[in-house]
Amino acid sequence: MKVFGPQTRSALSHAPDNWYAVDWRRVERNVRGMQIRIAKATREGDWRRVKALQRMLTRTLSAKLYAVRRVTQNQGARTAGVDRELWDSPESRWEAIGRLKRRGYRPLPLRRVFIPKANGKERPLGIPTMRDRAMQALYLLALEPVSESTSDPNSYGFRLNRSTADAMAQIRVCMSRRDSSQWVLEADIKGCFDHINHEWLENHVPMDREILRKWLKAGLIYKGQLQATEAGTPQGGIISPTLANVTLNGLERELGAHMRAKFGIGKARKLKVNVVRYADDFVITGASKEVLGCEVRPWVEAFLAVRGLQLSEEKTRITHIADGFDFLGWNFRKYSGKMLIKPSKKNAQAFYRKVAETISGHKAIKQEDLINLLNPMLRGWAQYHRHVSAKQAYSRMEFLVFRKLWRWSKRRHSQKKADWVRKKYFHVVGDRHWVFSAPVVRDDGSRSLLDLYQLSGTAIKYHDKIKGEYNPFDPMWEQYGEQLRQGRMWESMRYRKQWAKLYMSQSGLCAHCGCALTDETGWHDHHLEYRMHGGSDRLSNRVLLHPHCHQRVHAGGLTVTKPVPS
């Protein structure tokens, strides 16, 4: 069976003949080289060249390999579309590469599912088939360089190396000083993903229009019924967040240009209008309530209306900073002129409900297993808020979780006295008392205590905001981007100290393929000498590999060597 067409084969002199024979470092280098050229043409405004380079990239074997790997290594790889097909073997992935062709391509309808939201409602998701996901990932490789090169400086959602913490830090920059903006427009777009105008997308998104139209009009299947899609981009498609970003790009730049044109450069600067956006959530600061209500909001409504969108009347409001506002799970407020950013009450309540449900739903589980369930949740919530004034919230949450665990413990031994229960489930660890911990036996036979994660022990650290002009596809930002990636990966690993040490000793690269280890790719801890053969757990016997590289090493019986620190 032929996997590649004649054009693809003729363009490759040393094409791999199976999934495990792929040189992934070369694949990433080829794709990135093309993306850099697309970004350069975008910055120069040469749109004919952009289109030609995009077409060239989507036809290369490297891009197809990269796209298949991306959709088979992410969290949704085990969720099938309407055809119930999964690419869960090297053979199926290799065969899939030959199916990523533009000619004759016809996407299947999406499978409609619903997931719960924090407010108790449900969010609709559209699950594409594996082939459609791979095609979206393929064309996303060509769209991302254009999107990044034309994005607003203070747009932070679904962009490389940008996060909610960057958005929070930008608001701090805009509103923390005494002479900063005092008013903020909290904007909420009503059903953003569900109402974007298809015609606008087809005319303004710089990608293959025919392919885009097929995705937008693919329809969805819910309860066995086919439903047409007349507007919006399906939440669940890998390209949907970028399409939403492209739709809202220009909100900051065009609003700034409008204010300067109407009021002049000097007056516009004094109005202190700043936009901070994360995906479809954004806030706009201003020097007065009047400028936000009479000038900014009507302009924003007109900007959105062209794209088929509108603001939610119930959730859009203008607030003074002294009264505070919530954004991305934080509360921003000035107390006697001093800005404090804290975890919002709504965010803390939603998190506690999740923890309480986990504890209540596992009444008969072993204490060790319950701790292993809770620790990732507690660590994740604590790390999300570690850049703001969260000590008080940590202490409060710790007390609530302790109270819930005490009830859990007493319920298991209703006939025992409280002191007996305390000694069984709670221990003294260092200078800490009443630590919920369980005795465990390590691999070497020694015994130790497995502790519940200590929220109040999380260090608070000021976040270094990413530079607004940063473009991951511009070579002049290469060194800055590398430092940024390694620094943030170190932060995400800081509570797994051994992984952090391995990561830094490998310069953030996979020990097998030499490509970057990121949150998106994930990583596996590999023993150079297998433990079943007597290998130890010492760092000198371990390296970090990509999940697919780890699978490849074990399947092929390959040998990995410890990289030499550069």
Side-chain angles (χ1 to χ4, degrees), residues 275-320:
V275 180
V276 180
R277 180 168 68 85
Y278 187 90
D280 59 331
D281 295 325
F282 62 93
V283 296
I284 304 178
T285 68
S288 67
K289 186 175 183 178
E290 289 70 27
V291 71
L292 290 176
C294 302
E295 188 64 42
V296 172
R297 178 166 178 168
W299 185 92
V300 170
E301 290 174 339
F303 176 88
L304 296 176
V306 175
R307 293 154 174 78
L309 303 173
Q310 60 180 339
L311 294 175
S312 168
E313 291 294 335
E314 303 80 29
K315 298 180 181 179
T316 302
R317 61 180 68 88
I318 298 175
T319 310
H320 194 275

Side-chain angles (χ1 to χ4, degrees), residues 164-182:
T164 53
D166 291 308
M168 174 274 296
Q170 178 61 22
I171 294 177
R172 177 186 278 148
V173 169
C174 295
M175 306 194 76
S176 60
R177 294 173 52 179
R178 290 191 176 273
D179 59 348
S180 297
S181 310
Q182 298 297 304

Side-chain angles (χ1 to χ4, degrees), residues 82-83 99-110 128-133 135-136 139 210-219 226:
V82 294
D83 61 354
R99 298 168 57 191
L100 303 185
K101 298 177 181 178
R102 183 182 186 278
R103 178 176 295 180
Y105 170 65
R106 186 178 180 85
L108 293 175
L110 307 168
T129 64
M130 292 299 296
R131 185 192 180 197
D132 294 336
R133 269 179 259 176
M135 285 292 285
Q136 289 188 17
Y139 281 85
E210 183 179 340
I211 293 292
L212 177 59
R213 183 185 299 116
K214 288 180 178 180
W215 287 335
L216 296 176
K217 302 298 184 183
L226 177 63

Side-chain angles (χ1 to χ4, degrees), residues 386-404:
R386 72 185 183 274
H387 301 300
V388 302
S389 305
K391 281 295 185 182
Q392 186 177 357
Y394 287 161
S395 298
R396 173 64 178 168
M397 186 62 65
E398 223 167 33
F399 168 73
L400 293 174
V401 174
F402 162 78
R403 191 171 63 179
K404 192 72 178 176

Side-chain angles (χ1 to χ4, degrees), residues 119-132:
N119 59 8
K121 297 182 180 179
E122 291 185 322
R123 184 189 305 279
L125 288 184
I127 308 299
T129 64
M130 292 299 296
R131 185 192 180 197
D132 294 336

Side-chain angles (χ1 to χ4, degrees), residues 126-156:
I127 308 299
T129 64
M130 292 299 296
R131 185 192 180 197
D132 294 336
R133 269 179 259 176
M135 285 292 285
Q136 289 188 17
L138 177 63
Y139 281 85
L140 179 59
L141 291 174
L143 177 60
E144 256 186 333
V146 184
S147 172
E148 283 289 339
S149 302
T150 56
S151 288
D152 293 325
N154 293 306
S155 162
Y156 299 101

